[in-house]
């Protein structure tokens, strides 16, 4: 499936609809909070990223290659969750939100990553990480989380684990345009694949999974070999310019998230959706 990548000319009828939301003629759908995690590992071509191709039957982003992630739910707001690393207050500062929401977003990021890839950012203390999550007992717990029969807090307590929130970095934030019928306010995190752990093709929402250097994934999207939504593509572009997962995480330490909502802007004789200013040079230098 060939998906046009930024800057994308917008059809006139969509521009008209977008204008109706801008001038208040229509009310936008309330977005749902979500978290997605760019899981990385090193390679000779820079950071590799883990991508899932969503089932074509999915209501949102069908057929798209995406990072592990999903919506925040009530389980993620449990304030008693075992926690190591930056405090919820510090995460609130980095994510640009309140402490309760920040805690839930971090929990959702860790939970969704485990549910969709088998990777668990947790350990028995603030200095270690679970080394292997491939056993049948782990798979049973993953299924229970996925079906909502088990909460992350319960899983961690029973196994004597704490969330290693220090293994996450805050990267970006995207809010679906106002004219879309299904909207998400999504915080993007980055994390390195913990030593000893392996990703697994376990998500029921994906038809296939693969690793690819971030810059190669962006090239594949340019050629139409991978279908990506603009935020995924732009994240691959940005991360692909860095040399290693460690460098990505170092950059993330200095970031605070400012949620970006694409709006309609001029493009030649027509219109397109806007981009964050820092990403415009990356798009401008891409071959067309």
């Amino acid at each position: 499936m060939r998906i046009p990548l930024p800057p994308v000319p917008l059809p006139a009828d969509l521009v008209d609809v977008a204008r109706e939301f801008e001038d208040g003629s229509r009310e936008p759908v309330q977005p749902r909070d979500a978290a997605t995690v760019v899981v990385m590992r090193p390679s000779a071509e820079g950071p590799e990223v883990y991508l899932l191709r969503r089932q074509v039957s999915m209501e949102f982003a069908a057929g798209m290659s995406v990072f592990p992630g999903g919506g925040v739910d009530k389980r993620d707001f449990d304030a008693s969750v075992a926690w190591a690393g930056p405090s919820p207050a510090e995460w609130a500062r980095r994510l640009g939100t309140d402490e309760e929401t920040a805690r839930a977003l971090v929990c959702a990021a860790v939970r969704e990553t485990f549910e969709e890839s088998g990777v668990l950012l947790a350990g028995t203390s603030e200095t270690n990480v679970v080394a292997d999550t491939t056993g049948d007992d782990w798979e049973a717990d993953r299924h229970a989380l996925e079906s909502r029969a088990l909460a992350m807090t319960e899983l961690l307590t029973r196994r004597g684990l704490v969330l290693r929130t220090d293994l996450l970095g805050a990267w970006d934030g995207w809010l679906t345009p106002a004219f879309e019928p299904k909207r998400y306010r999504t915080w993007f995190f980055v994390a390195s694949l913990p030593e000893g752990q392996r990703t697994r093709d376990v998500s029921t929402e994906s038809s296939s999974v693969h690793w690819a250097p971030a810059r190669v994934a962006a090239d594949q999207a340019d050629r139409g070999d991978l279908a990506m939504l603009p935020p995924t593509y732009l994240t691959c572009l940005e991360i692909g310019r860095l040399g290693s997962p460690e460098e990505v995480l170092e950059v993330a330490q200095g970031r605070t998230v400012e949620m970006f909502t694409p709006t309609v802007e001029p493009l030649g004789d027509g219109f397109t959706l806007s981009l964050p200013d820092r990403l415009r040079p990356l798009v401008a230098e891409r071959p067309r």
Side-chain angles (χ1 to χ4, degrees), residues 132-170:
D132 183 14
T133 60
T134 60
D136 291 343
D137 58 333
W138 281 109
E139 185 60 11
D141 283 344
R142 193 195 65 78
H143 274 295
L145 276 178
E146 195 173 37
S147 67
R148 303 189 181 187
L150 181 68
M152 179 61 75
T153 302
E154 297 171 292
L155 169 64
L156 296 174
T157 299
R158 177 159 53 79
R159 288 186 174 268
L161 301 174
V162 296
L163 284 184
R164 287 289 308 275
T165 75
D166 57 307
L167 300 179
L168 287 165

Side-chain angles (χ1 to χ4, degrees), residues 123-134:
T124 57
S125 74
E126 62 185 15
T127 60
N128 66 53
V129 188
V130 172
D132 183 14
T133 60
T134 60

Side-chain angles (χ1 to χ4, degrees), residues 41-123:
R41 69 183 185 188
S43 81
E45 298 182 84
E48 286 192 338
V49 295
Y50 187 67
L51 293 165
L52 304 88
R53 183 176 184 272
R54 286 173 63 84
Q55 300 277 6
V56 295
S57 59
M58 299 297 294
E59 185 178 359
F60 182 79
M64 298 291 106
S65 290
V66 300
F67 306 119
V72 175
D73 67 40
K74 62 182 181 181
R75 298 173 296 168
D76 300 316
F77 285 91
D78 189 343
S80 68
V81 65
W83 190 278
S87 67
E90 172 60 16
W91 276 110
R93 184 190 69 80
R94 295 182 187 183
L95 300 177
T97 186
D98 60 85
E99 287 188 36
E100 182 182 40
T101 302
R103 182 190 296 109
L105 286 166
V106 170
C107 288
V110 174
R111 174 181 56 75
E112 287 282 349
T113 301
F114 183 51
E115 289 181 12
E116 296 201 335
S117 72
V119 171
L120 182 60
L121 303 175

